[in-house]
Amino acid sequence: RDIARVLSSMTGNPSGKKRRDSKDYTLVRRKPASYYHDLLEWEGSGDTAEQKVLKGMKIGFPKEFFEMPVEKEVTEAMEFARERMIAQGAEIRSVSIPHFRYGLSAYHVLSVVEAVSNLARFDGVAYGRRAPTYQDLRELIEKSRGQGFGEEVKRRLVLGSYIMERERASFEKAKKVQNLLKEDFRKVFETVDLLFTPTTNTTAFKVGKKSKSPLDMQRLDEFTVPASLTGLPAISLPCQQSGKLPVGGQLIGNYFDEGTLLKGSLGLEISLGKERSPQQGKR
């Protein structure tokens, strides 16, 4: 409910009045939706009152996501969520995202190249942190970037610069993968309302146990990058049974269908016992 309320505010006034950012040409021209009020109205409908909060929703389980190696606790949490969805009236379908396995590689190529383009302006002159001492313009830029960027950002900038200089073909292949993934999702959403996947392949890290390997940390993005790469709305929800380390389950919605994504998310929260029932949640 809180996310719906914030999203309603972010997307603007649904009354149709001219917005202050009407000349921002990076925006998609669509009438803002009343996500929060639509969600409350859906909560008060007959289906949710009967506790069949996911009745009529077709939820796809992409087989490629569930064929990846994951921890036992993640598998158990996903099965628990699946059983609860069925119990709450959802229709579960097995679907396919054929190019999923290329998503992580494509994402890391595109993201580092975009980082180079986007962060080039942070030179200490017009934007970003300015080094306190320097002898000339070159030293100002070098020190400002060296002191202002963290290790991960520097790693991405170096890799992105290398790709643009020496591996341009890799960038072009990554763009092709991005378009293939978009087409995969377009076809899948012709048959389902939402997709459900794990958020990561592990449970939450215990305190102080996070991997120090950048490669291991990057693999944690494997299930979430397809939505980011294709511009689809997605949300992560806690799906573990009580008393265990947190496990995230991800719901992915169709383009500009955040309303269905929010309804499915609240329905899953209720069905998993993570949220108050519709009757308790009314204000």
Side-chain angles (χ1 to χ4, degrees), residues 18 29 49 58 65 108 124 136 147 153 155 159 166 207 211 239 266:
K18 190 173 182 180
R29 302 296 167 182
K58 296 185 285 292
F65 286 66
H108 283 293
D136 52 33
Q147 297 168 9
V153 174
R155 187 181 295 112
L159 183 56
R166 302 291 181 88
V207 176
S211 174
C239 291
L266 181 57

Side-chain angles (χ1 to χ4, degrees), residues 268-282:
L268 182 57
E269 279 190 330
I270 293 171
S271 65
L272 291 171
K274 307 291 183 183
E275 179 56 275
R276 293 170 296 178
S277 68
Q279 289 84 356
Q280 294 172 318
K282 290 181 180 178

Side-chain angles (χ1 to χ4, degrees), residues 227-269:
S228 298
L229 195 62
T230 55
L232 290 166
I235 188 170
S236 179
L237 300 162
C239 291
Q240 86 284 11
Q241 299 183 56
S242 60
K244 297 185 177 182
L245 283 170
V247 174
Q250 177 183 223
L251 281 173
I252 304 174
N254 202 355
Y255 293 107
F256 303 110
D257 196 13
E258 287 85 354
T260 299
L261 179 62
L262 289 164
K263 291 172 185 176
S265 302
L266 181 57
L268 182 57
E269 279 190 330

Side-chain angles (χ1 to χ4, degrees), residues 23 44 46 53 66 87 89 100 107 110 115 123 172 177 240 246 251 265 270 274 282:
K23 293 184 179 180
V53 290
F66 289 89
F100 158 72
Y107 168 80
L110 295 176
D123 53 12
E172 293 170 356
V177 170
Q240 86 284 11
L251 281 173
S265 302
I270 293 171
K274 307 291 183 183
K282 290 181 180 178

Side-chain angles (χ1 to χ4, degrees), residues 101-116 152 155-164 170-171 173-175 177-178 181 213-226 228-229:
R101 63 193 179 106
Y102 305 112
L104 186 64
S105 299
Y107 168 80
H108 283 293
V109 170
L110 295 176
S111 65
V112 295
V113 171
E114 289 174 357
V116 172
E152 177 61 25
R155 187 181 295 112
R156 293 190 179 210
L157 292 176
V158 170
L159 183 56
S161 299
Y162 175 79
I163 289 172
M164 293 306 293
S170 298
F171 175 75
K173 288 180 181 178
K175 292 298 291 183
V177 170
Q178 185 180 37
L181 274 170
S213 166
L215 184 60
D216 288 344
M217 295 305 296
Q218 286 177 2
R219 295 206 68 84
L220 293 176
D221 297 336
E222 194 153 27
F223 298 130
T224 56
V225 294
S228 298
L229 195 62

